[in-house]
Amino acid sequence: AWWSMSYQIPEGTGSASVTYLRKDAVYDPAASGAILVLDYAEDCRALQSSELMSAESHLVFEQAGRHYAAVNSNICQTLAWAPVANRGSLRAADFTLVAGRACSAGESCPDLSANGAPLRFGFRRFVWGAPGNVIGHGIDNWTVTVWRR
């Protein structure tokens, strides 16, 4: 019971980015408490062997219409299942804004405090290869752990 994904690299480019947010993976700091750190793990496997095509994996979350991706990523390119993402103790400074409106001066972006909007977790794939390449990979054992203050 793992998830298989395939991406076709658009013509005129060498990469594509896709974000998946889970409907049921929500944490509300206002109701459950401020977030101290986040731990993230997943297993991944490539569906075809190639040194020229790869997928990069990031923890991502949506908060107040903005998408934030973990700065640290892992490469998924082995044909066997491997724990490609195992990031612990991620703080607000370990994420970068990848979609949505820019943050205002003095605004906490992201806001993991008890005043922060709810977070919906998922993952982001950045894939690269030659235009037209189809890059497939699988994901399993995806987990996010929220540690509170």
Side-chain angles (χ1 to χ4, degrees):
W2 52 277
W3 192 17
S4 171
M5 293 161 277
S6 294
Y7 308 95
Q8 185 169 20
I9 302 297
E11 292 301 320
T13 70
S15 64
S17 177
V18 176
T19 298
Y20 172 76
L21 297 167
R22 292 185 55 120
K23 289 181 181 179
D24 63 346
V26 176
Y27 183 84
D28 185 353
S32 300
I35 298 171
L36 177 62
V37 294
L38 299 166
D39 290 346
Y40 174 60
E42 74 174 56
D43 294 340
C44 184
R45 68 175 278 224
L47 300 180
Q48 75 272 352
S49 179
S50 175
E51 293 180 13
L52 303 176
M53 299 182 287
S54 223
E56 191 174 328
S57 176
H58 300 257
L59 169 62
V60 69
F61 63 84
E62 182 272 333
Q63 184 181 46
R66 296 176 175 129
H67 292 183
Y68 299 93
V71 174
N72 293 328
S73 64
N74 291 86
I75 305 299
C76 176
Q77 60 189 147
T78 67
L79 291 174
W81 285 108
V84 298
N86 190 354
R87 299 287 180 201
S89 301
L90 297 170
R91 300 180 182 278
D94 296 316
F95 291 87
T96 187
L97 180 66
V98 294
R101 60 182 166 75
C103 300
S104 303
E107 184 178 12
S108 295
C109 284
D111 187 353
L112 304 184
S113 75
N115 297 322
L119 288 77
R120 186 163 48 122
F121 295 102
F123 57 87
R124 180 175 186 239
R125 289 291 186 268
F126 180 79
V127 294
W128 62 91
N133 282 155
V134 176
I135 301 168
H137 63 93
I139 184 171
D140 198 7
N141 301 318
W142 179 88
T143 60
V144 177
T145 305
V146 176
W147 297 95
R148 297 182 296 196
R149 292 181 192 248

